[in-house]
Amino acid sequence: MAYLRGTKDSYDKWAQLVGDSGYTYESWLPYFQKSLDFTAPPPGKRAANATPQYDVSSIGGANGPLSVTFPNYAQSVASWVQKGLQALGISPRNGFTSGALIGSSYVLNTIQANTQLRESSETGFLRPALERSNVVVFTDSLAKKVIFDSAKTATGVLVETAGKQYVLSATNEIIV
């Protein structure tokens, strides 16, 4: 249930390898941010020495489909682990949503703030999408290959269901 992002360097390397600047961390950041519904942890629910630090400007999260927050409870050992890591030279940081992962931090969780129940891709994205008339889910199917045209635009997906292969085509977009 931990919510983390990769490093800036990993996304930038991806962009370099595929020759497309759309894969840089800075290009992805607005999408990361708008996909979240962040709720700050309520004061007093966790021990004072287990208060998470975070950077709301990198988290974003205004009314997106995926709920993220910090659990109301932290194991007592957690505060001592951070002190131990700091003694080893691993400094605390304001979370792991800024594209830098070196350091220690309490980790955001994909949980609903009011119930503390688990949030997932299914509950945050799929269930709401299933209410739309233009969404079809293919169960027990394996996406084998994204099909591209000569302009490097995705036009379909090669799929296998029950041993039979077929292509699902799209005119607007392919979302994997």
Side-chain angles (χ1 to χ4, degrees):
M1 296 184 306
Y3 179 83
L4 301 165
R5 297 179 185 150
T7 64
K8 288 181 181 180
D9 289 344
S10 64
Y11 285 99
D12 293 349
K13 180 72 172 178
W14 183 8
Q16 177 190 3
L17 288 172
V18 299
D20 186 341
S21 63
Y23 290 101
T24 63
Y25 179 85
E26 293 304 322
S27 294
W28 278 100
L29 184 59
Y31 299 101
F32 291 144
Q33 292 174 324
K34 76 178 188 177
S35 72
L36 300 181
D37 183 10
F38 171 68
T39 302
K45 292 275 186 173
R46 294 167 66 120
N49 62 346
T51 301
Q53 300 299 310
Y54 55 91
D55 176 11
V56 75
S57 69
S58 72
I59 296 171
N63 302 314
L66 185 66
S67 297
V68 293
T69 190
F70 295 93
N72 288 341
Y73 175 78
Q75 296 285 338
S76 57
V77 71
S79 61
W80 297 108
V81 167
Q82 269 214 321
K83 289 178 190 248
L85 289 170
Q86 191 166 10
L88 294 170
I90 302 171
S91 299
R93 64 174 319 108
N94 287 339
F96 294 126
T97 56
S98 69
L101 298 179
I102 305 249
S104 68
S105 177
Y106 291 102
V107 178
L108 273 172
N109 283 197
T110 53
I111 55 178
Q112 297 171 4
N114 57 342
T115 63
Q116 294 285 286
L117 294 175
R118 182 178 188 195
E119 185 82 308
S120 67
S121 297
E122 178 190 354
T123 60
F125 297 97
L126 180 59
R127 285 186 192 170
L130 289 175
E131 295 175 12
R132 296 172 42 188
S133 63
N134 63 344
V135 173
V136 178
V137 175
F138 289 79
T139 60
D140 302 315
S141 300
L142 175 65
K144 299 193 73 144
K145 180 180 178 182
V146 178
I147 310 292
F148 293 90
D149 66 13
S150 58
K152 295 185 179 182
T153 301
T155 59
V157 178
L158 177 64
V159 177
E160 183 176 313
T161 304
K164 298 189 185 212
Q165 291 190 10
Y166 51 96
V167 174
L168 297 173
S169 300
T171 54
N172 291 329
E173 62 185 348
I174 304 289
I175 301 172
V176 181

